[in-house]
Amino acid sequence: MHSLTSSQDTEVVNVRRRQQRSADTRERILAAAFEEFAERGFEATSTRSIAASAGVQHPLVTHHFESKEGLWKVVLTTVQANFVEYYGRYVHGEKHEDDVEELRRLQEAYIRFTAAFPNYSRLIFHMGSRPGPLLDWLLESQAKTYFRSLTQLIKSAQAQGRYVEGDPTHLQYLFIGCVTRIFMQWAEAERVMGKSLASETFVEQHVKLCLDLFFRDPPAAASAPAKKARKAAVSRSA
Amino acid sequence: MHSLTSSQDTEVVNVRRRQQRSADTRERILAAAFEEFAERGFEATSTRSIAASAGVQHPLVTHHFESKEGLWKVVLTTVQANFVEYYGRYVHGEKHEDDVEELRRLQEAYIRFTAAFPNYSRLIFHMGSRPGPLLDWLLESQAKTYFRSLTQLIKSAQAQGRYVEGDPTHLQYLFIGCVTRIFMQWAEAERVMGKSLASETFVEQHVKLCLDLFFRDPPAAASAPAKKARKAAVSRSA
DNA sequence: GTCTATATTATGATAGAC
DNA sequence: GTCTATCATAATATAGAC
C-alpha cells in the first residue's frame, strides 16, 4: 500500500504524467497532420490548422517536429511503415497454393486497406507532387520493392493465362487507379452514386469488381464452370 | 495606299494593338493558371507564381480576373468547355453501328484526351476538393450528363454480355481511375516504367489495355474467333 | 512541455502614376 | 492596360515566461 507518498514518488509520477502527455500531444499532432496533409496536400495545409484540429497550441508543432517539413516527413514515413506492416502480413504469411492465389490475396488486401484508410491513398498521391530526397527514398525503398514483388506474381499469372495481358508495371498503375479513385473522391462519389462507400456491401462489391477486371479464368482445359475449376486447374510453382 | 497616316489612323492602330496585347496577356495568364492550378491545386498556387510563369506583373491577374477565385472559376469553366467541345464531336458524330461500338469510341476518346492533356485530369481532381456553388454547377450540368449518357450505353452493352458486369456508375469510376492515374503521376510513372508516356506506342498500349479490361467478347453464339464475330453478333437498339 | 507574444516572410489585393 | 509601390493579412518559426 502506498498511502504515504514520498516526495520522490510524486516526482516520478509527475514525470511519467508529463511524458505521457507529451507523447499524447505528439500523437495527436501526427494524427491530425495525417488527415490534413491527405486532404489538402503539404502547401495548402497550415501548421495552425493542424494544431487546432489536434486541440493544441501551434508552437507545439515545431517543438515536437522541428518544422512543417519535418512533420511532413514523419507523417509520410509513419504512414508508409504502417502500410508496409499491414501489407507484410499478407506477403510473408502462409504459403499459398499457387502464385495466382497469392497475387489475388495481395491485391485484395490492397483494396481493403484502401477502403479502410482512403487518406492513405490521398497522401501517397500528394507525395508524388513534392519532388525531393524523401520522395526518392520512399520510391526506391518502398514502391520499387512493392512493384517488383507484384511484377513477378503477375508474370507468373499471365503465363498461366489467368491474368490480363500487358506490361505488368503498366497494369499495376491501372489497378491502383481502379482501386483508389472512387475513394479519393469519396464525397463526390457518394453524391453521384447515392450510396455510402463505407458500407460492408459496397466494399465487397468493389473488391469483386476490381479483381474480376484483372483476373481471367484459365484457358479452359475442360469447359467446367470457371469458379470451381480454378483451384484444380493449375499445378505449377513459378 | 496609306503612306500618309492621319492622327485618326494611328489612333485606331494603337487601340487595336492595345486590345491585342490585353487579350494576349489575358490568355497567357489563363494558360499559366491552368498549369499551376492543375499541378498544385487552388490553395497551394499563388497568383504571383502564375504571373511570373505567364511573364506578366502580378497586379494584372486581379485586373483581368477580379480575384484569384475569379481566375479559378474562369479556368475551370474554360477547360470544361474545351473538354465538352472535344468530346461532343464524338457524342454527336455519325451514328454508330451499335451501342457497344459507340461506347467503345467514347471511352477511347476519353483515354486519348487524357493522354493528350493530363493536366485536365489533375485539375478536375483538384476541383473535387473545393466544395462550393461552382463545383455543384459543374457537377450538375456537366458530370451528371456525362455519367448519364454513358450509363445508358454501358447497360446496353452489359445486356449483350459485351461489357463487364456491375453497377455502371461504379464501373465508370473504375474506368476513370484506370485511365487517368498513370498520367496524373506522369513523372513518377516514367521513372518506374523507364519509358516515355508521351510516345505514340505507349498511348496505343494504354488505349488497348484500358478498353480490353472492360469490354468482353460476346458470349459466343457460335464459337467463331471473337474479333471477327463482334460486328455481326448484335442487332438491337437500346 | 506548454503557453503568450512576436519577428519575418509570403500572399491577395489595391492605389496611383504613366 | 500596364507598371511601381504599398497595405493588410496569414503563415512559419522563434523567444521567453511559467
Side-chain angles (χ1 to χ4, degrees):
Chain A
M1 294 265 284
H2 295 275
S3 57
L4 297 177
T5 58
S6 72
S7 71
Q8 269 208 353
D9 282 348
T10 55
E11 179 70 7
V12 167
V13 166
N14 283 340
V15 166
R16 286 216 183 114
R17 278 208 187 117
R18 266 198 297 247
Q19 286 175 342
Q20 183 56 40
R21 192 180 173 197
S22 172
D24 271 6
T25 57
R26 206 191 123 97
E27 285 309 307
R28 292 162 62 90
I29 292 172
L30 205 54
F34 172 48
E35 302 291 329
E36 300 265 324
F37 282 147
E39 295 278 359
R40 296 182 241 292
F42 180 81
E43 274 84 9
T45 302
S46 76
T47 57
R48 288 173 132 87
S49 74
I50 292 173
S53 150
V56 304
Q57 302 295 323
H58 62 266
L60 288 178
V61 173
T62 54
H63 177 265
H64 282 278
F65 297 94
E66 192 86 12
S67 70
K68 186 186 177 185
E69 189 109 13
L71 176 56
W72 168 257
K73 291 179 184 173
V74 174
V75 168
L76 268 190
T77 50
T78 303
V79 160
Q80 187 65 9
N82 287 345
F83 173 73
V84 169
E85 189 253 333
Y86 177 100
Y87 205 72
R89 266 182 270 149
Y90 289 83
V91 180
H92 302 303
E94 79 282 8
K95 268 296 158 211
H96 297 283
E97 306 121 54
D98 60 62
D99 288 353
V100 183
E101 280 306 316
E102 185 174 349
L103 176 61
R104 195 183 186 90
R105 287 211 44 203
L106 284 175
Q107 297 200 321
E108 183 178 337
Y110 180 74
I111 302 170
R112 295 190 186 281
F113 184 86
T114 301
F117 308 103
N119 273 344
Y120 172 80
S121 298
R122 299 196 185 100
L123 191 74
I124 293 298
F125 184 77
H126 282 129
M127 182 193 68
S129 48
R130 280 190 62 76
L134 180 63
L135 172 60
D136 296 342
W137 178 80
L138 279 173
L139 220 57
E140 291 302 321
S141 70
Q142 311 291 330
K144 283 270 174 90
T145 65
Y146 168 82
F147 272 103
R148 190 155 29 226
S149 66
L150 280 178
T151 295
Q152 285 309 313
L153 292 174
I154 289 175
K155 279 184 184 165
S156 169
Q158 286 175 330
Q160 301 172 44
R162 291 167 66 190
Y163 201 82
V164 70
E165 287 299 316
D167 174 54
T169 309
H170 192 165
L171 286 174
Q172 269 304 99
Y173 274 102
L174 301 197
F175 180 76
I176 290 171
C178 245
V179 171
T180 60
R181 180 61 181 251
I182 199 167
F183 291 115
M184 291 175 77
Q185 300 188 287
W186 192 293
E188 183 209 294
E190 285 197 337
R191 268 176 58 182
V192 173
M193 299 196 47
K195 66 170 84 167
S196 159
L197 301 196
S199 77
E200 181 88 17
T201 66
F202 175 80
V203 174
E204 294 307 318
Q205 273 176 32
H206 194 59
V207 168
K208 180 165 168 41
L209 278 184
C210 290
L211 291 182
D212 286 355
L213 275 186
F214 290 85
F215 287 90
R216 294 288 151 94
D217 289 324
S223 62
K227 280 266 169 159
K228 292 199 173 177
R230 185 175 292 137
K231 284 193 181 178
V234 182
S235 60
R236 69 186 292 282
S237 58
Chain B
M1 294 268 283
H2 293 276
S3 58
L4 296 179
T5 57
S6 73
S7 71
Q8 268 208 352
D9 282 350
T10 56
E11 179 71 8
V12 166
V13 167
N14 284 340
V15 166
R16 286 218 183 111
R17 279 209 186 116
R18 267 197 298 245
Q19 285 175 341
Q20 183 55 42
R21 190 179 174 199
S22 172
D24 271 6
T25 58
R26 205 191 124 96
E27 285 310 307
R28 292 162 61 89
I29 293 171
L30 205 53
F34 172 47
E35 302 289 330
E36 300 264 323
F37 283 148
E39 296 277 0
R40 296 182 241 293
F42 181 81
E43 274 83 11
T45 303
S46 77
T47 57
R48 290 174 134 88
S49 73
I50 292 172
S53 149
V56 303
Q57 302 295 324
H58 62 266
L60 288 178
V61 173
T62 55
H63 177 265
H64 282 278
F65 298 94
E66 190 88 12
S67 69
K68 184 187 178 184
E69 189 107 14
L71 176 56
W72 169 257
K73 290 179 185 173
V74 175
V75 168
L76 268 190
T77 50
T78 303
V79 161
Q80 187 66 9
N82 287 345
F83 173 74
V84 169
E85 190 252 333
Y86 177 100
Y87 205 72
R89 266 182 269 150
Y90 289 82
V91 180
H92 302 302
E94 79 280 9
K95 267 295 156 211
H96 298 283
E97 305 122 52
D98 59 62
D99 288 353
V100 183
E101 281 306 314
E102 186 174 350
L103 175 62
R104 195 182 186 90
R105 288 211 43 204
L106 283 175
Q107 297 200 322
E108 183 178 335
Y110 180 74
I111 302 170
R112 293 190 187 280
F113 184 85
T114 300
F117 309 101
N119 273 344
Y120 173 80
S121 298
R122 299 198 185 100
L123 192 75
I124 293 299
F125 185 76
H126 282 129
M127 183 192 69
S129 48
R130 279 190 63 75
L134 179 64
L135 172 61
D136 295 343
W137 177 79
L138 280 174
L139 221 57
E140 291 303 321
S141 70
Q142 311 291 332
K144 283 271 174 89
T145 64
Y146 167 83
F147 271 103
R148 191 155 29 228
S149 66
L150 280 178
T151 295
Q152 286 309 312
L153 292 174
I154 288 175
K155 280 183 182 164
S156 168
Q158 286 175 331
Q160 302 173 43
R162 292 169 63 193
Y163 201 83
V164 70
E165 288 299 317
D167 175 53
T169 308
H170 191 163
L171 286 175
Q172 270 304 98
Y173 275 102
L174 301 197
F175 181 76
I176 291 170
C178 243
V179 171
T180 60
R181 180 61 181 251
I182 199 168
F183 291 114
M184 291 175 77
Q185 301 188 286
W186 192 292
E188 183 208 294
E190 284 197 336
R191 268 176 57 182
V192 174
M193 298 197 45
K195 65 171 85 167
S196 159
L197 301 196
S199 77
E200 181 88 18
T201 66
F202 176 79
V203 173
E204 294 308 318
Q205 271 178 32
H206 194 59
V207 168
K208 179 164 169 42
L209 278 184
C210 290
L211 291 181
D212 286 356
L213 274 186
F214 290 85
F215 286 91
R216 293 288 150 94
D217 289 324
S223 62
K227 282 265 167 156
K228 292 198 172 175
R230 185 175 291 137
K231 283 193 181 176
V234 182
S235 60
R236 69 188 294 280
S237 58

